[in-house]
Amino acid sequence: MYRQITDPLDHPALTALLAATPLLVLLVLLGVLRVKAYWAALAGLATAVVTAVAVYGMPAGQAALGAAEGAAFGLFPIVWIVLGAVWINRLQRASGHDAVISRTFARLSDDPRVQAVLIAFCFGAMIESLSGFGTPIAVTSVILVGLGQPPLKAAAIATFANTAPAAFGSVGNPIQALAKVTSYPAAELGAMVGRQSAVIAFLVPFVLLFILDGRRGLRELWPVALAAGAGFGAGQYLCSNHLAYQLTDLVAALVSAGAVILVLRVRRPPHPPDPGPGAGSRAPRLPAQPEPEPAFALAAAAPLVPPPVADVPSAPVPPVDHRREVLRAYFPYALLTLLFSLVSYDGPVARFVDAQDVSFTWPGLHVVSASGRPVAIATFDFGWLGAAGTLLLLTGVVSAWVLRVPARRALRCYGEALRQIRWAALTVSCVLALSYVMNLAGMAVSLGVWLAGAGRLFALLSGLLGWFGVALTGSDTSSNALFGAMQVTAAQHVGISPLLAAATNSTGGVQGKAAAMQNLVIAAGAVGLTGREGDILRKVIGWSLAVLTVLCVLAWLQSTSVLGWMVP
């Protein structure tokens, strides 16, 4: 039996610094020293175990069992999701229907920057509304590669775009988890989160355009970003405050996509220029140097937009595919949406699926909180039937028949997908093992206690705590379960709205999605860049912290008379 300790050094600041060391080791090795992701994750895990045993006094056996539970959670459901998403993409490539998808988006706009906003931001939010755990990142990143985006850029775009809808993902699961640990009604929490998330989501399309094409992208396509961000923010606010928070992401995605399409009908963007030496670069324009593509990407269709030709004002309109082939191309996503809907919304199917779930305390793991209560993280939930990876597997089996991929070729595609993500699986397992050791030892609680000592400035730091929780676990739901009650207690102690603090944990947490190793590994594995997770992190970490800063200032203003009217 291990009882958690929150301040083993009797010095909150020093204890918090030591508690954050494993994550700092991971981020520095990955983002600064460019060490391969699995080595960085192993180093972070080793640091976490040593800190837990030497500083927090956690028995080595309990630390090892906690790491084993985390590794198991990494394999299921995380790796299980990536495998299914990559397999479906390979099936589409094998049948040639990835080119059909490319051409349908090209008919909406021949600008790959607009296509990236529609797919990563709008379509990704629709997927997030039904399933989190990185599913939108895995699905949209491979579509973007098929449309001609370089793998590194596609992975960065898919990862950052996933920050906008995460607070209401999986049919509002993060809000439900927050309600459970704070005792606030879920509807009130959803309304408050919507009043913050709508502002933050408005900024995301502008960031996506800058990642895609620097200042030029913003200058040429700001109306598209404005329509996407304003539509998404309006949809989030209206649905979370006046309809049902469970449907927030779905409504926001539809409103955003509709707004973008309307703008494209009224104002056609300039023809996309040749890719330069880098987004936002001031260097003179050189001949395009494409990124090395993974082997599977070389089999993709011809580039979505033919290279610009001098004195030609626009690219040729792509050929029109037969409606039957278009339906086949989009069948996997339609079926996936249907399956997620059936298992997410209360009904006979959802109840049957829930009845198959298995939950058990991890064998040999005995950890209680500082107050003596068993910690929830020691319980392993094995919801095998309703897991996103299982639904992706079922979608792949049916899609192979619809796409007319022979059984032998479909099995070969599955083996290729397994081979592609093998290092990603190791990395995810190590990162989740690190996360579980930190949570079980009490390191995460130490960080929360230290931040709570900031007094009224806690409102300015509240979002940072949520960011850290998601960066550590990869899940806004997990971060809310971990820090939600602590946020409420700290807010009551310093005299600010507990509802505001709880909501800020969730809204700040979604920006941690861009820095979460779990999501970086999913993105890299999906597009064939395993080992280059650090490159993706460097593209998004600055934007993640910048938007987090905006959220922290917003939350602080909401705790004062300036924007206090925004708190229900």
Side-chain angles (χ1 to χ4, degrees):
M1 175 74 71
Y2 169 68
R3 188 170 186 144
Q4 289 181 340
I5 303 173
T6 58
D7 190 8
L9 301 180
D10 200 25
H11 191 295
L14 185 57
T15 297
L17 178 62
L18 281 175
T21 300
L23 188 61
L24 293 175
V25 168
L26 176 65
L27 294 177
V28 170
L29 288 178
L30 186 67
V32 179
L33 302 181
R34 305 193 179 195
V35 174
K36 286 188 179 296
Y38 48 87
W39 287 118
L42 284 168
L45 172 59
T47 304
V49 171
V50 170
T51 304
V53 174
V55 178
Y56 281 78
M58 188 178 193
Q62 293 295 297
L65 288 170
E69 184 190 5
F73 183 78
L75 293 175
F76 183 93
I78 308 303
V79 173
W80 188 226
I81 291 171
V82 182
L83 178 59
V86 173
W87 183 44
I88 290 174
N89 176 255
R90 284 186 172 272
L91 291 174
Q92 288 186 311
R93 292 183 179 278
S95 66
H97 285 86
D98 59 319
V100 177
I101 293 178
S102 300
R103 289 191 287 267
T104 56
F105 276 102
R107 282 191 289 275
L108 286 175
S109 172
D110 62 359
D111 193 318
R113 300 167 296 181
V114 176
Q115 295 163 2
V117 171
L118 284 169
I119 294 168
F121 187 66
C122 301
F123 183 52
M126 293 178 66
I127 299 175
E128 178 72 24
S129 71
L130 297 170
S131 172
F133 291 105
T135 307
I137 297 173
V139 172
T140 60
S141 60
V142 292
I143 295 178
L144 290 174
V145 170
L147 289 170
Q149 288 286 352
L152 179 58
K153 190 169 288 185
I157 291 298
T159 300
F160 194 81
N162 189 234
T163 62
F168 295 97
S170 302
V171 202
N173 198 40
I175 303 298
Q176 295 162 21
L178 193 59
K180 183 177 180 180
V181 298
T182 63
S183 300
Y184 271 101
E188 289 186 21
L189 289 166
M192 186 62 237
V193 170
R195 299 180 187 202
Q196 295 177 324
S197 183
V199 177
I200 302 306
F202 171 78
L203 302 175
V204 172
F206 293 93
V207 175
L208 296 180
L209 286 180
F210 199 93
I211 294 175
L212 283 162
D213 199 23
R215 296 186 184 93
R216 180 180 58 190
L218 289 176
R219 183 176 63 252
E220 295 179 352
L221 294 175
W222 66 265
V224 171
L226 179 63
F232 199 92
Q236 275 199 329
Y237 170 75
L238 292 173
C239 191
S240 62
N241 279 264
H242 301 292
L243 296 175
Y245 73 87
Q246 295 92 335
L247 302 176
T248 296
D249 281 343
L250 183 60
V251 171
L254 292 174
V255 174
S256 179
V260 171
I261 292 173
L262 181 61
V263 166
L264 293 176
R265 289 182 179 273
V266 175
R267 183 182 186 276
R268 184 178 179 85
H271 181 67
D274 280 326
S281 174
R282 298 184 180 180
R285 197 164 299 287
L286 302 173
Q289 299 293 327
E291 284 188 65
E293 299 259 339
F296 72 86
L298 298 178
L304 180 59
V305 181
V309 180
D311 302 324
V312 176
S314 61
V317 177
V320 178
D321 294 288
H322 194 283
R323 181 175 297 179
R324 180 176 61 252
E325 296 307 314
V326 174
L327 291 175
R328 281 182 178 154
Y330 283 94
F331 173 82
Y333 306 110
L335 177 59
L336 189 62
T337 301
L338 174 63
L339 291 176
F340 276 125
S341 300
L342 288 174
V343 302
S344 298
Y345 295 106
D346 188 31
V349 175
R351 286 192 288 270
F352 174 77
V353 170
D354 290 343
Q356 312 310 311
D357 291 354
V358 178
S359 296
F360 57 90
T361 300
W362 193 259
L365 187 60
H366 303 294
V367 178
V368 296
S369 66
S371 61
R373 297 179 179 178
V375 295
I377 198 174
T379 300
F380 190 86
D381 297 318
F382 186 64
W384 64 275
L385 186 56
T390 303
L391 300 184
L392 284 163
L393 175 64
L394 179 58
T395 298
V397 171
V398 179
S399 297
W401 174 72
V402 172
L403 298 176
R404 297 181 178 178
V405 179
R408 182 172 297 180
R409 178 64 180 132
L411 288 174
R412 191 180 310 129
C413 288
Y414 197 83
E416 292 168 354
L418 275 170
R419 179 176 176 80
Q420 179 180 327
I421 70 168
R422 64 191 187 281
W423 293 114
L426 173 61
T427 305
V428 168
S429 297
C430 291
V431 168
L432 267 297
L434 177 157
S435 170
Y436 269 60
V437 171
M438 289 187 66
N439 288 328
L440 289 166
M443 299 182 209
V445 178
S446 296
L447 285 164
V449 170
W450 174 65
L451 287 175
R456 294 283 300 183
L457 286 179
F458 177 71
L460 192 63
L461 302 175
S462 179
L464 177 62
L465 188 58
W467 185 94
F468 177 83
V470 175
L472 181 64
T473 66
S475 165
D476 198 40
T477 301
S478 299
S479 177
N480 286 345
L482 183 64
F483 291 133
M486 188 183 308
Q487 293 267 20
V488 169
T489 302
Q492 291 171 338
H493 180 72
V494 301
I496 65 174
S497 168
L499 177 65
L500 171 63
T504 303
N505 188 83
S506 188
T507 314
V510 299
Q511 286 307 313
K513 281 272 189 178
M517 176 59 69
Q518 165 187 317
N519 293 335
L520 296 173
V521 172
I522 287 174
V527 300
L529 292 180
T530 297
R532 295 185 62 185
E533 290 81 1
D535 294 337
I536 303 172
L537 177 64
R538 281 187 291 277
K539 278 187 171 291
V540 298
I541 184 64
W543 292 110
S544 172
L545 294 174
V547 178
L548 173 66
T549 301
V550 174
L551 180 276
C552 289
V553 173
L554 173 64
W556 175 67
L557 291 174
Q558 288 175 329
S559 72
T560 69
S561 58
V562 177
L563 293 179
W565 53 268
M566 294 183 67
V567 181

